[in-house]
Amino acid sequence: MPHLALGLDSSTQSLSAAVIDIESRGRVCEITLDYLADERLGGFGIGEDYLLPPEEPGDARQPVAIYFASLDALCERLAGELKKHGLSPANISAINVSGQQHGHVMLSRRAEDVFGQLNADSPPRQTLADILSPAPAVAWARIWRTANTAAEAAAVTERAGGRKRIIELTGSDAPLRFSAFGIRKTALAHPEAYADTAIIHQISSLIPAVLTGQLSIALDWGNACGSSLMNYREKQWSPDLLAAVAADLPGGPDGLRERLPELASARTRAGRVARYFTAGYGFDQECIVGIGSGDNPQTKVLTGGTLLSLGTSFVIMAAAGSAESAIDSRGYANAMYDALDRPFCFGCRTNGALRWDGVRAMHGLGKRDYAAAESALAVTPAGNNGRLFIWRTEAESFPVAPPAGPLRIGYSEPELAADYSGIVESSLAGMYLNSRHIMSGEGELYLTGGPSASLPVLRRAAAIFGRRTVAVESGGAALGAAATAACLWLAKHEPEFDPGAWCSSLLERRAVVEPSREDIRAFHGDQGMLRRYRQSEADIS
């Protein structure tokens, strides 16, 4: 009988699933249920932005019930999709979860008994949303888009000893979206609900709690990184940060600690799937469930090296040699662990491929009209013949920098080859220069996103980063969760397997480029582009 692994990704807009065959490593099916488009969900009061009506600017909340209802809807759809392949949920041997990071749910003192119903000898025949409706202490979850916690973040930072100290402790600055500040805001605004709270789950640990019918699910180190409550090096809740967040809350720091899950490796099993799912959807009663992780740790697990996503904004997940080296002391990037517990650093540069589109538009080319720009890039040597082009329409956070440009250095008249080569090289240079100090010297550079299909882009990335560069399809968090689900099963049946290599093997390599010596000199030489770029950025600042 085939053994399948199911990965679930509970994101801002949808619940997605990826199913893989553990033995063959082949992909069986993928499913996405959009919260607004799927008629079985009904939206639960969210608007077109997938949020509940805001109570104030920067408020970002979603109804907890939508996470429960989407799980029912997906299980129903999953059975039909598997049947097309001659399979069923009974073939699923392991499940793991990805959850949108920083989203957190406060569950009440009734929740343990409520969740326990999912393991009754005869589970209720109601929907998950109906069964679990009494469980939340508040009916909504604050999610990663939260931006109305400036007062809370400032107060916690000051109490913790300042910005430098909070970076030293957590591996990150105090981003408004991190869950500690949302927890504090909710506790101050809704003290009765906070007093009634038994446990505060991240979305990544909430879904395994539902799948197993057990409230006491540990939170993995990777997703705890986004709480501003965990000591990054020690992988423990920090007494200093608990005090900074909760000194004036009901129950104080000890009360907050009692409401937080235990911390554990992302490779920890939560338990077996609950009777609700075996009786209602035909899952195997021996199916194991992992404790889950965040969407970035689950995405990163598919790559052993550094992952650079060339999207509207550029995101880098830089593989670090150690937990110590993963910490960006400036606070521009966030130290994390992936879902195999490997340290990495997450940085996001706002001005990404959208600026490349803007350059093409300057020259009369449409958003998807790539041919002319690609041809110009292909015939322009690395280093752009000594010319630089810098353009930021938005303020940058990695590192902090004001808007700038369009700025041409070494030439004055608009020219497609110079402008397009210039924006490609300056964008990649910005990512490299601001992540090299946290990046391990080993491993490949993986590129995803639309521009990764361009060989001239791959060639420049390989030379700038100084390593073999591999273009891969975007595996996504659901596939990463499926991979780590498979690792849970393999750890029991094949304990000698290499989980990192196994997960990386799931990605399809579309192209591989080795850095050429000539191109490396053009970027890293004494008169190379990187030196000129650093000087120009210093002049702009």
Side-chain angles (χ1 to χ4, degrees):
M1 183 179 73
H3 292 281
L4 307 181
L6 168 63
L8 299 174
D9 175 35
S10 181
S11 72
T12 313
Q13 301 177 358
S14 62
L15 178 64
S16 299
V19 180
I20 59 176
D21 185 305
I22 297 176
E23 281 86 358
S24 71
R25 308 187 193 188
R27 302 189 194 187
V28 177
C29 65
E30 297 181 357
I31 303 169
T32 296
L33 297 181
D34 187 289
Y35 295 149
L36 289 176
D38 196 287
E39 60 185 16
R40 290 165 290 195
L41 299 182
F44 289 90
I46 59 175
E48 292 184 359
D49 58 359
Y50 293 85
L51 301 178
L52 292 168
E55 295 180 340
E56 61 183 349
D59 180 40
R61 294 170 300 122
Q62 289 186 315
V64 178
I66 207 166
Y67 308 136
F68 304 148
S70 60
L71 189 54
D72 259 332
L74 189 137
C75 287
E76 180 182 326
R77 172 107 172 260
L78 179 65
E81 290 296 320
L82 290 176
K83 188 176 181 180
K84 297 176 184 177
H85 300 272
L87 301 165
S88 77
N91 295 111
I92 296 174
S93 299
I95 306 171
N96 213 348
V97 175
S98 157
Q100 50 172 309
Q101 290 191 259
H102 324 307
H104 57 279
V105 175
M106 294 183 169
L107 298 177
S108 73
R109 301 189 184 279
R110 301 175 298 281
E112 186 169 5
D113 290 338
V114 171
F115 273 63
Q117 295 178 64
L118 301 178
N119 272 318
D121 290 338
S122 297
R125 295 192 176 185
Q126 300 166 281
T127 65
L128 286 172
D130 288 336
I131 296 169
L132 302 178
S133 61
V138 291
W140 37 261
R142 294 194 190 277
I143 68 164
W144 69 273
R145 290 168 62 179
T146 294
N148 62 336
T149 53
E152 291 75 19
V156 171
T157 300
E158 182 179 359
R159 291 175 177 179
R163 182 173 180 270
K164 181 178 180 182
R165 178 60 175 158
I166 206 167
I167 294 170
E168 289 176 349
L169 283 171
T170 69
S172 299
D173 200 349
L176 303 187
R177 65 188 182 276
F178 276 27
S179 52
F181 316 120
I183 291 169
R184 178 171 172 78
K185 187 176 185 70
T186 301
L188 291 171
H190 304 277
E192 293 183 0
Y194 180 72
D196 185 42
T197 297
I199 191 166
I200 302 170
H201 269 307
Q202 300 283 311
I203 293 170
S204 65
S205 53
L206 172 71
I207 304 301
V210 177
L211 288 168
T212 60
Q214 302 178 76
L215 200 61
S216 297
I217 301 296
L219 177 63
D220 77 296
W221 302 319
N223 215 5
C225 291
S227 68
S228 286
L229 285 167
M230 186 185 79
N231 184 308
Y232 180 76
R233 296 174 180 86
E234 297 179 2
K235 301 176 184 175
Q236 298 289 337
W237 297 122
S238 164
D240 290 347
L241 292 168
L242 290 169
V245 172
D248 55 349
L249 297 184
D254 289 343
L256 176 56
R257 175 63 188 90
E258 290 170 1
R259 291 169 170 83
L260 295 175
E262 295 302 314
L263 294 173
S265 161
R267 300 167 70 176
T268 302
R269 299 178 193 175
R272 290 187 175 88
V273 72
R275 289 190 181 93
Y276 178 89
F277 298 96
T278 60
Y281 296 108
F283 281 82
D284 181 3
Q285 63 182 1
E286 296 299 317
C287 175
I288 57 176
V289 179
I291 65 171
S293 189
D295 47 7
N296 291 309
Q298 290 287 26
T299 299
K300 174 64 179 67
V301 82
L302 296 167
T303 62
T306 291
L307 176 64
L308 175 58
S309 176
L310 304 179
T312 300
S313 297
F314 285 177
V315 169
I316 190 164
M317 301 186 197
S322 66
E324 190 67 34
S325 65
I327 297 176
D328 181 359
S329 61
R330 306 166 306 171
Y332 298 148
N334 304 312
M336 297 185 190
Y337 296 98
D338 73 10
L340 292 179
D341 305 330
R342 299 173 297 191
F344 74 99
C345 198
F346 177 94
C348 179
R349 198 161 171 87
T350 305
N351 296 274
L354 200 60
R355 297 283 65 75
W356 300 15
D357 294 343
V359 169
R360 291 196 302 273
M362 278 182 180
H363 294 274
L365 302 175
K367 184 176 180 179
R368 301 190 181 281
D369 187 359
Y370 302 110
E374 278 295 298
S375 296
L377 189 63
V379 299
T380 304
N384 199 17
N385 291 317
R387 301 167 295 187
L388 288 174
F389 183 85
I390 296 173
W391 189 22
R392 294 189 294 269
T393 61
E394 298 181 61
E396 193 53 74
S397 59
F398 182 62
V400 173
L407 181 63
R408 296 177 176 88
I409 301 170
Y411 68 113
S412 57
E413 295 300 319
E415 178 187 333
L416 176 60
D419 290 353
Y420 194 67
S421 298
I423 194 63
V424 168
E425 293 183 355
S426 66
S427 298
L428 294 173
M431 294 303 291
Y432 167 73
L433 291 172
N434 291 290
S435 59
R436 59 180 175 167
H437 63 294
I438 49 179
M439 194 186 315
S440 168
E442 300 178 354
E444 296 171 320
L445 174 68
Y446 293 84
L447 255 62
T448 67
S452 68
S454 165
L455 284 175
V457 169
L458 291 174
R459 170 186 157 196
R460 285 166 168 82
I464 289 172
F465 282 80
R467 60 185 66 198
R468 177 188 296 117
T469 297
V470 184
V472 296
E473 61 179 328
S474 178
L479 182 61
T484 54
C487 287
L488 292 173
W489 189 87
L490 287 165
K492 180 178 179 180
H493 295 86
E494 299 179 23
E496 298 303 318
F497 88 108
D498 181 340
W502 198 94
C503 290
S504 294
S505 70
L506 296 177
L507 282 181
E508 179 184 345
R509 296 179 169 222
R510 298 183 303 194
V512 179
V513 174
E514 297 282 355
S516 79
R517 292 181 180 179
E518 182 180 355
D519 289 351
I520 289 175
R521 281 195 300 271
F523 290 114
H524 292 269
D526 291 341
Q527 302 301 316
M529 177 266 179
L530 292 175
R531 179 184 292 271
R532 297 195 305 274
Y533 175 80
R534 286 197 303 270
Q535 184 59 55
S536 297
E537 286 288 11
D539 293 342
I540 293 170
S541 301

